[in-house]
Amino acid sequence: MSRETEVHTLSVPPGGTSDRAFLDVRDLRVHFGTEDGLVKSVDGLSFQLERGRTLGIVGESGSGKSVTSMSLLGLHPRADRKGKGGAILSGEIWLDGQELVSATPEQLRALRGQKMAMIFQDPLSAMHPYYSVGAQIAEAYRVHNEVSKAQARKRAIELLDRVGIPQPDSRVDDYPHQFSGGMRQRAMIAMALVCNPELLIADEPTTALDVTVQAQILDLMRDLQKEFNSALIIITHDLGVVAELADDIMVMYGGKAVEYGPAKSVFTEPEHPYAWGLLGSMPRLDRPVQDRLLPIPGNPPSLINLPSGCAFNPRCAYKEACGTACTTVVPELEPTDGAAKHLVRCHLPVETRRTTFTEEIRNHL
Amino acid sequence: MLTFIARRLVAAIGLLIVVSFITFVIFFVVPQWAGQTPEQMARAYVGRGTTPAELQIVETRLGFNQAFLPHYFDYLKAMFVGTTYFDGTTYLHCSAPCFGYSFRTYQEVWPTVLSVFPVTLSIALGAGVLWLIFGVASGVVSAVFKGSVWDRASMFISLLGVSLPVYFIAPLAMLVLCYNWSLLPSPTYVGFTTNPASWAENMILPWTCLAFGYAALYTRLTRAGMLDAMSEDFTRTARAKGLPEHRVIGKHALRAAVTPIVTIFGMDFGALLGGAVLAEQAFSMHGVGALAINSIASQDFPMIMGVTLFAALFVILANLVVDVAYAALDPRVRLA
Ligand SMILES: Nc1ncnc2c1ncn2[C@@H]1O[C@H](COP(=O)(O)OP(=O)(O)OP(=O)(O)O)[C@@H](O)[C@H]1O
Ligand code: SF4
Ligand SMILES: [Mg+2]
């Protein structure tokens, strides 16, 4: 266990300061005891995020993105002492100087919706079908603020207006099913922002929406983040979404970060074979189909029995290049030699990674 | 909303007429198709040693000698405007809504049904309140503390509840509570207006015994509904907003879980109002259910038809109330 534990001194925060970052996650582990065994959904994740900055978390289905975000908000029911019935959490989550892994449920509850808030993927199922949109937003406001119903309603209208809902003072009484998909997501955003949270997590905020609406929602989130100066985490399958929006990108695979660094260098010079695969499976409308790389072959790994060595090795086309290391030794998340902020978890020598990307991969993207 | 209710009421009347037609066919026409002559049918009511003249009177009074359709339309007309029966010797007036006279007691059907209805209403009302409260409450607690001792105990008890019929529990409860321990009077119906305290005291056993099985069922329904609701995304959203757990469960999850329960309750309650057959039999209380059983046993066709239509009326009304309630509870439902 201790061998696998990350060497934290290596993970220089991309923010780069020695003081603790606004959000500082250290060696976060979220495991679930199930009948089939221990599911290691998140296994040793570390990252930092400052106010006003955006982190994009990318990875395939099942890589642990949602589990990570839910654990930041303390939304996982905790396991009992036998490790049953919920999540087993370890590591540290520092939010503005307060540690959340060891916080009490009541402390977490007071922070939720107030200091940290979440935008969920499917706004139709994430909103209560029997309460009006306005009532749901006002409720979020009233939990954390001593205001009258009328004041909360006014605040809800204000927020609906801010996120671009037309005629907010009449739409406020509509039910979620009366909104279009895009408007529902705007309303979700309004609900998340109603208490001016300093940390905003958007878990696949646009997956349920069509392409033009996606762009509008992303624009809106960018504007709002500037306005509120909040720290923003955007979770997505789609590297393209975070490439535009994020300052940093973290690529997750099997519950671990495999590549982490400034968005520009991760997006333009990715070094991990899995990240190449993700880039290749990005939908690109400007190229004929046969020119594009194939999506990553194979399936996401079992989180109960990760493949030995590098978790990606059964699906990796480059593992021969480094002998038996890929199947026997777990690679560390280490800085690439040039940019110290760009971290990669791969046994391939840095030079090989770079030349492979520039000579083989890039032309096909 | 109002036009919806009005339209449904009109439809309900149409449905009742259909029900009346079907029961009429079953009770008056099928025996004739089966080869019985009007004389034979009349004889079934007055016994063997009757003179042909007497038989003729009975035949006329019961309408056995009429053709089918005129007979049915007379019956239908009587419901709305009343009628006067003439059997050759005497006139009998029956005012609307007239469902005819009992073959057996010569009492008017409708007033007879109405006179026993308070018994059924009393049983259903008290039992309904009990099982709704206890069923929903224990279902919620079971769901929230899923897997706990309480959950397992209540699942076990509710398994007993759904598998033990009221005619098994009732004699057992009476034996222990009324005869062995003398805690309660052996239940006899006392009118609410006569003596409310004695009414309630006598009703306790029928209420609890009848409610037990229903409460068991509602516990299971509520538990399943709550578990569903608690795993819904909107419940997670409620938590993410920072709502305290009692609001998450008691407001957001419960609201979603009880909506289908309310509609099921409406149907069950409506069906009971048309006759709490088993409970009435078990406690020898003469409500609509007992009336139905007795009428069937004595082949008292007008009475059977009256009770059938009475029960159908409540089932149809319950349907209507349930639809309106559902629309009020679930904003996605539009009444059209
Ligand atoms: N309560 C739980 N008990 C057991 N396993 C769980 C639990 N919650 C999540 N998991 C597992 O953790 C893994 C990671 O799930 P997670 O939802 O974080 O994936 P994701 O990266 O968000 O995927 P997606 O893109 O599909 O949303 C999955 O394999 C999932 O089955
Ligand atoms: S460590 Fe080996 S298997 Fe893993 S990504 Fe790098 S080359 Fe592929
Ligand atoms: Mg997810």
Side-chain angles (χ1 to χ4, degrees):
Chain A
M1 191 70 180
S2 61
R3 287 206 155 262
E4 284 179 34
T5 309
E6 227 126 278
V7 184
H8 293 299
T9 45
L10 283 176
S11 327
V12 179
T17 53
S18 55
D19 290 338
R20 204 178 279 294
F22 170 67
L23 174 67
D24 188 357
V25 176
R26 302 246 155 202
D27 196 27
L28 178 67
R29 283 162 209 270
V30 188
H31 297 173
F32 298 96
T34 68
E35 278 169 17
D36 303 327
L38 194 64
V39 179
K40 299 181 178 176
S41 297
V42 175
D43 205 26
L45 206 59
S46 302
F47 59 87
Q48 290 75 32
L49 185 62
E50 295 294 351
R51 285 190 182 85
R53 314 257 312 161
T54 302
L55 169 70
I57 302 183
V58 198
E60 279 173 307
S61 196
S63 54
K65 308 181 298 292
S66 296
V67 169
T68 304
S69 58
M70 303 245 308
S71 63
L72 295 186
L73 262 78
L75 283 176
H76 293 297
R78 295 293 187 92
D80 58 21
R81 254 168 280 139
K82 287 180 230 145
K84 293 265 163 59
I88 306 158
L89 254 70
S90 68
E92 295 160 30
I93 299 169
W94 293 90
L95 180 71
D96 204 11
Q98 185 177 1
E99 209 288 303
L100 303 185
V101 171
S102 57
T104 65
E106 179 51 29
Q107 285 170 327
L108 285 167
R109 188 203 62 74
L111 291 173
R112 274 201 293 271
Q114 166 85 307
K115 196 166 182 99
M116 50 188 183
M118 189 140 166
I119 299 166
F120 293 102
Q121 171 173 350
D122 179 0
L124 184 59
S125 64
M127 296 186 107
H128 202 298
Y130 299 165
Y131 297 112
S132 73
V133 169
Q136 296 186 51
I137 299 174
E139 185 183 35
Y141 192 54
R142 291 191 77 204
V143 207
H144 300 292
N145 299 278
E146 297 274 323
V147 292
S148 70
K149 277 205 166 134
Q151 282 170 297
R153 184 185 152 87
K154 224 181 109 224
R155 171 83 182 154
I157 295 172
E158 199 180 295
L159 259 288
L160 285 176
D161 190 31
R162 178 62 197 89
V163 297
I165 304 280
Q167 289 141 2
D169 32 0
S170 68
R171 300 309 299 257
V172 69
D173 294 320
D174 279 3
Y175 290 91
H177 73 274
Q178 293 167 304
F179 275 30
S180 70
M183 277 168 45
R184 272 197 290 270
Q185 193 54 287
R186 287 171 192 269
M188 260 320 276
I189 293 174
M191 184 150 85
L193 289 178
V194 74
C195 296
N196 293 330
E198 292 166 83
L199 171 64
L200 189 60
I201 304 174
D203 191 351
E204 312 204 21
T206 59
T207 336
L209 308 174
D210 62 52
V211 182
T212 44
V213 183
Q214 276 187 15
Q216 293 167 6
I217 295 290
L218 291 174
D219 278 349
L220 173 68
M221 297 202 17
R222 194 195 337 248
D223 291 350
L224 290 170
Q225 190 209 9
K226 284 217 183 74
E227 188 177 322
F228 290 86
N229 194 36
S230 46
L232 177 63
I233 298 180
I234 291 194
I235 291 172
T236 172
H237 287 131
D238 184 353
L239 258 179
V241 167
V242 290
E244 292 177 43
L245 224 60
D247 300 298
D248 297 324
I249 294 180
M250 181 163 74
V251 180
M252 281 185 75
Y253 188 78
K256 290 188 168 78
V258 293
E259 184 151 2
Y260 176 35
K264 192 156 176 291
S265 62
V266 173
F267 193 64
T268 57
E269 301 160 336
E271 296 197 11
H272 196 281
Y274 176 62
W276 299 340
L278 281 183
L279 273 182
S281 49
M282 253 175 73
R284 290 270 303 260
L285 301 175
D286 55 340
R287 299 278 176 91
V289 177
Q290 61 272 24
D291 267 14
R292 281 184 253 151
L293 279 181
L294 287 171
I296 310 160
N299 294 313
S302 150
L303 295 171
I304 297 175
N305 273 314
L306 273 185
S308 59
C310 169
F312 187 57
N313 83 66
R315 305 169 72 186
C316 183
Y318 305 92
K319 64 177 171 195
E320 268 74 39
C322 31
T324 57
C326 291
T327 50
T328 52
V329 184
V330 179
E332 298 291 344
L333 189 65
E334 288 170 330
T336 61
D337 62 355
K341 294 168 188 169
H342 188 161
L343 313 173
V344 177
R345 189 192 289 278
C346 177
H347 287 306
L348 284 177
V350 177
E351 271 320 306
T352 321
R353 299 197 301 238
R354 298 233 165 113
T355 50
T356 311
F357 179 71
T358 43
E359 284 163 23
E360 286 181 33
I361 311 291
R362 195 157 56 189
N363 322 330
H364 293 279
L365 295 177
Chain B
M1 181 71 117
L2 281 179
T3 51
F4 170 81
I5 295 175
R7 232 172 332 130
R8 284 294 299 267
L9 278 175
V10 171
I13 292 170
L15 199 56
L16 278 175
I17 291 176
V18 171
V19 172
S20 78
F21 185 77
I22 294 171
T23 35
F24 197 85
V25 167
I26 292 174
F27 293 128
F28 283 81
V29 183
V30 171
Q32 298 189 17
W33 286 342
Q36 289 209 17
T37 61
E39 287 83 4
Q40 284 171 318
M41 288 168 69
R43 199 182 286 283
Y45 289 87
V46 282
R48 289 195 171 271
T50 330
T51 64
E54 283 171 329
L55 258 188
Q56 186 63 43
I57 289 173
V58 173
E59 247 183 81
T60 316
R61 192 165 62 216
L62 303 186
F64 287 153
N65 51 5
Q66 272 178 288
F68 167 66
L69 274 181
H71 191 187
Y72 175 66
F73 281 119
D74 278 353
Y75 181 82
L76 204 59
K77 202 175 107 198
M79 279 191 217
F80 294 98
V81 295
T83 189
T84 302
Y85 293 101
F86 177 60
D87 57 13
T89 49
T90 46
Y91 288 92
L92 267 175
H93 182 71
C94 173
S95 49
C98 171
F99 291 82
Y101 277 81
S102 161
F103 285 177
R104 295 290 168 197
T105 61
Y106 303 114
Q107 300 287 318
E108 275 185 60
V109 166
W110 200 244
T112 310
V113 175
L114 288 184
S115 72
V116 294
F117 181 57
V119 178
T120 303
L121 181 65
S122 301
I123 297 177
L125 214 56
V129 169
L130 277 183
W131 92 62
L132 193 60
I133 292 175
F134 282 98
V136 169
S138 69
V140 169
V141 176
S142 276
V144 173
F145 301 103
K146 186 183 166 217
S148 67
V149 178
W150 164 265
D151 179 31
R152 274 176 234 176
S154 89
M155 281 303 98
F156 177 73
I157 294 171
S158 75
L159 189 65
L160 281 184
V162 281
S163 39
L164 295 181
V166 62
Y167 53 77
F168 177 82
I169 307 172
L172 206 67
M174 277 203 283
L175 184 71
V176 175
L177 297 173
C178 308
Y179 306 123
N180 284 6
W181 296 349
S182 306
L183 285 177
L184 288 168
S186 172
T188 39
Y189 181 74
V190 177
F192 176 76
T193 43
T194 319
N195 183 345
S198 161
W199 169 81
E201 196 183 18
N202 276 286
M203 279 297 167
I204 288 176
L205 265 187
W207 285 342
T208 43
C209 289
L210 180 59
F212 185 50
Y214 280 102
L217 189 66
Y218 279 56
T219 301
R220 296 181 157 256
L221 289 174
T222 309
R223 180 179 184 270
M226 279 301 283
L227 286 177
D228 272 355
M230 282 158 59
S231 66
E232 289 278 0
D233 286 357
F234 57 73
T235 308
R236 183 186 60 190
T237 307
R239 278 204 188 91
K241 290 200 273 195
L243 292 182
E245 199 58 19
H246 66 89
R247 293 279 299 278
V248 173
I249 301 291
K251 185 178 170 193
H252 288 244
L254 187 60
R255 175 70 202 277
V258 295
T259 304
I261 304 280
V262 167
T263 66
I264 298 168
F265 178 76
M267 303 301 298
D268 282 344
F269 190 69
L272 262 192
L273 287 181
V277 178
L278 294 183
E280 289 173 24
Q281 287 294 104
F283 292 101
S284 322
M285 290 198 161
H286 295 285
V288 182
L291 182 63
I293 298 285
N294 295 339
S295 317
I296 291 168
S298 59
Q299 294 187 304
D300 191 350
F301 294 145
M303 199 57 95
I304 296 175
M305 290 199 50
V307 174
T308 306
L309 289 178
F310 189 78
L313 176 72
F314 277 110
V315 171
I316 290 169
L317 276 183
N319 257 302
L320 176 60
V321 171
V322 159
D323 285 347
V324 173
Y326 211 104
L329 286 171
D330 185 344
R332 289 170 302 184
V333 176
R334 287 273 148 270
L335 296 180

